[in-house]
Amino acid sequence: QNLGSSNDSAPIVQLVRKGCRGTREKPAMIRMLRNLISVAAVTLAASMAHATTSVTAISIVFSERAPKDSFTITNTGACKAADFSLRIDLASSKGRLIFDTTAKGAGVEVFQPLEITAGEASLASISKVRDGSRDVALELRSLAPGGKIAFTVDVDDTLPRSELGQTRVADSEISGAEIHGKSRDGFELKSAFGDNATAQLKHVPCA
């Protein structure tokens, strides 16, 4: 049986010739693609490294103690935070907490004014806490990884009936209290205390 004339085989010959030319061109194309992939990989790795180290995290822990309660602010990330403001707002706390800083006012029995106990050099300023108020604002100058700022103050709840009485605050009673953060370029963050008396601000811009 005749499988085809010479004219029928012409397209096949042309495809083979093109394939041969393509084979000769492939090494150059492969090298070019490899170069492009290498450049893209380096760029991606650099971007990921920058993203990893360009933000940090700050934790805020409340501790019920006698006669003074305390707040401890810690940079738990890998880079320095600077020119960053924090505001602790107790208004939405489960125990309806207030600061008790004087003998007169809404507080119960023992009172304690605010006192910085650690990291004062890392603070640019801290707001004055009025008796019966519910918030305090801090301006961070610079807080290195692992760095801490701590202050003591008396905190009371204002519930008619509470787990530990009004002069002492259970961990769960500060849950819901909010932490507001703001960078110098206007980037804002928000978090809240949980039942473990801890709040954490993530993605805080690094200096």
Side-chain angles (χ1 to χ4, degrees):
Q1 183 178 359
N2 185 3
L3 297 177
S5 65
S6 60
N7 289 336
D8 293 334
S9 64
I12 298 174
V13 172
Q14 290 175 5
L15 287 173
V16 172
R17 288 174 178 172
K18 287 181 179 179
C20 291
R21 288 198 301 271
T23 301
R24 290 194 297 270
E25 292 171 356
K26 279 182 180 177
M29 293 180 65
I30 291 173
R31 285 195 298 272
M32 182 177 69
L33 287 172
R34 283 177 177 170
N35 290 337
L36 289 172
I37 291 170
S38 296
V39 171
V42 170
T43 302
L44 179 61
S47 298
M48 291 178 67
H50 177 71
T52 301
T53 58
S54 61
V55 295
T56 189
I58 293 176
S59 72
I60 302 92
V61 178
F62 169 77
S63 299
E64 161 64 40
R65 295 177 181 175
K68 301 178 181 181
D69 305 317
S70 70
F71 288 86
T72 303
I73 299 161
T74 307
N75 182 346
T76 59
C79 56
K80 180 175 67 174
D83 300 322
F84 190 77
S85 65
L86 286 174
R87 184 168 65 87
I88 300 172
D89 186 357
L90 304 178
S92 55
S93 60
K94 184 178 177 181
R96 288 185 261 172
L97 306 182
I98 60 170
F99 292 114
D100 183 13
T101 58
T102 67
K104 298 179 181 180
V108 180
E109 296 180 4
V110 179
F111 67 93
Q112 295 291 341
L114 187 146
E115 180 184 359
I116 303 296
T117 57
E120 188 169 5
S122 297
L123 275 174
S125 65
I126 185 167
S127 64
K128 184 177 180 180
V129 177
R130 294 178 294 102
D131 186 64
S133 66
R134 298 180 187 269
D135 69 314
V136 57
L138 304 90
E139 294 287 339
L140 276 62
R141 177 180 289 113
S142 178
L143 192 62
K148 296 179 184 292
I149 297 170
F151 63 89
T152 58
V153 68
D154 186 34
V155 178
D156 292 343
D157 73 59
T158 58
L159 298 174
R161 295 182 181 179
S162 57
E163 184 178 342
L164 301 176
Q166 291 183 326
T167 59
R168 297 173 61 201
V169 177
D171 287 352
S172 61
E173 289 181 328
I174 198 172
S175 65
E178 294 179 343
I179 303 295
H180 298 267
K182 188 175 182 179
S183 66
R184 60 184 171 185
D185 58 1
F187 182 69
E188 296 185 0
L189 295 169
K190 181 180 175 181
S191 184
F193 284 93
D195 287 338
N196 61 350
T198 299
Q200 187 167 31
L201 283 178
K202 299 180 179 179
H203 310 298
V204 175
C206 290

